[in-house]
Amino acid sequence: KVAAFPHMKEIKDFDFTFQTSVNQQQIQDFLTFRFIEENENIVFLGPSGVGKTHLATAIGIAAAKKRTSTYFIKCHELIQNLRRARLENRLVARLKHYTKYKLLIIDEIGYLPIDQEDAKLFFQLIDMRYEKRSTILTTNVNFKAWDEVFQEPKLANAILDRILHHAKVVTMVGNSYRLKDHLAQENK
Ligand code: ADP
Ligand code: MG
C-alpha cells in the first residue's frame, strides 16, 4: 500500500530549519490524523520547491502505515482518468472509487490549466468527498487565481468553497530546496 507513493519522502527527511515558514507543531498535529477523523482537508500552498509534495507525501505515508486507505495522485492524472472513465461510460464508478479512500492526496493543482468540462469532473469528485472524506491538496496558485486555473469562475468558486469549508491551509514561502545548492554556490 505504502509503495504506491511516487516519492518515499517522510517527515524525518524534512528539514524544518530550511523551511521556516511552516509550523512544525502544526505538521505534528496533522500526524495525529485527527483531521481524517473529522473529515477535514489540508491545503499546502506555495511556490515550486518549497516542500509541498514532500509534506503531503509524508503525511500520506504515515497514514497508510496506520492502515488508513490512502491514495496519492497528481491533479492532471486524476482528471485524465476521470475523463477517460466518462468516455467509457463508467464515470460514476470511477468517482466512487476515488471517494472510497479515507485520505486522497491531489498534488499540483494549478500547474496546468483545466478546461470547463474537466473542471466539472473535478467538482464532482470534490463534492462527493465533501464532509465525508479528507483530502490533501497542493497548489502553487493563490485561491484568488483559481478562476484562471478552472477557467469558469462559478465552478472555481464552488470547488474552493467545498475544499476550504473545513480545511487547514499551510502557506509556504521561501527558496526552492531543489536550487539550494546552486544558490549556495553563487553566494560563495
Ligand atoms: P514542491 O512540491 O513544493 O514543489 P517538493 O516537496 O517536491 O516541492 O520539494 C522539492 C524537493 O526538495 C524534494 O526532493 C523534497 O524532498 C526536497 N525538499 C523540499 N523541502 C525540503 C526540506 N525542508 N527538507 C528536506 N527536503 C526538502
Ligand atoms: Mg510538488
Side-chain angles (χ1 to χ4, degrees):
K1 206 196 286 169
V2 172
F5 285 89
H7 325 273
M8 292 307 290
K9 303 284 183 175
E10 299 198 55
I11 211 69
K12 63 173 166 45
D13 308 316
F14 195 80
D15 182 354
F16 285 93
T17 66
F18 181 83
Q19 178 42 271
T20 53
S21 73
V22 298
N23 178 342
Q24 188 169 358
Q25 193 52 53
Q26 186 180 31
I27 304 300
Q28 290 304 334
D29 183 60
F30 294 153
L31 292 169
T32 65
F33 305 116
R34 210 170 348 125
F35 78 99
I36 297 178
E37 280 159 41
E38 295 177 359
N39 303 317
E40 288 182 344
N41 303 321
I42 301 172
V43 184
F44 291 105
L45 168 68
S48 185
V50 294
K52 303 182 299 295
T53 300
H54 188 135
L55 289 177
T57 300
I59 295 166
I61 290 173
K65 282 183 176 170
K66 293 242 163 167
R67 303 186 162 275
T68 299
S69 65
T70 302
Y71 195 70
F72 178 104
I73 192 162
K74 285 191 182 184
C75 183
H76 183 63
E77 198 188 327
L78 171 75
I79 285 173
Q80 277 185 334
N81 290 347
L82 291 176
R83 200 190 303 159
R84 191 176 328 120
R86 188 187 48 195
L87 285 173
E88 295 170 358
N89 286 317
R90 47 179 187 83
L91 177 61
V92 173
R94 200 68 204 160
L95 285 168
K96 280 187 183 156
H97 169 82
Y98 286 128
T99 303
K100 82 174 195 261
Y101 293 105
K102 291 280 283 176
L103 178 61
L104 182 67
I105 301 167
I106 306 175
D107 195 31
E108 294 190 351
I109 294 171
Y111 280 110
L112 299 171
I114 297 166
D115 73 26
Q116 244 193 66
E117 280 309 303
D118 290 349
K120 282 184 199 160
L121 297 174
F122 190 75
F123 168 78
Q124 287 181 72
L125 174 69
I126 295 299
D127 189 50
M128 281 175 79
R129 292 185 64 83
Y130 174 62
E131 294 190 327
K132 293 195 185 71
R133 295 282 190 246
S134 289
T135 308
I136 299 179
L137 307 105
T138 82
T139 182
N140 65 324
V141 180
N142 284 318
F143 301 129
K144 273 188 217 144
W146 279 36
D147 279 9
E148 286 144 52
V149 174
F150 290 98
Q151 294 166 29
E152 226 253 79
K154 270 190 199 156
L155 265 174
N157 246 313
I159 290 167
L160 260 182
D161 220 44
R162 282 162 182 74
I163 290 172
L164 296 181
H165 185 193
H166 310 285
K168 299 276 186 329
V169 178
V170 180
T171 305
M172 299 166 74
V173 294
N175 292 323
S176 171
Y177 191 88
R178 295 188 185 100
L179 300 178
K180 81 176 165 64
D181 296 334
H182 299 284
L183 296 173
Q185 206 64 30
E186 276 175 19
N187 289 336
K188 273 186 188 157

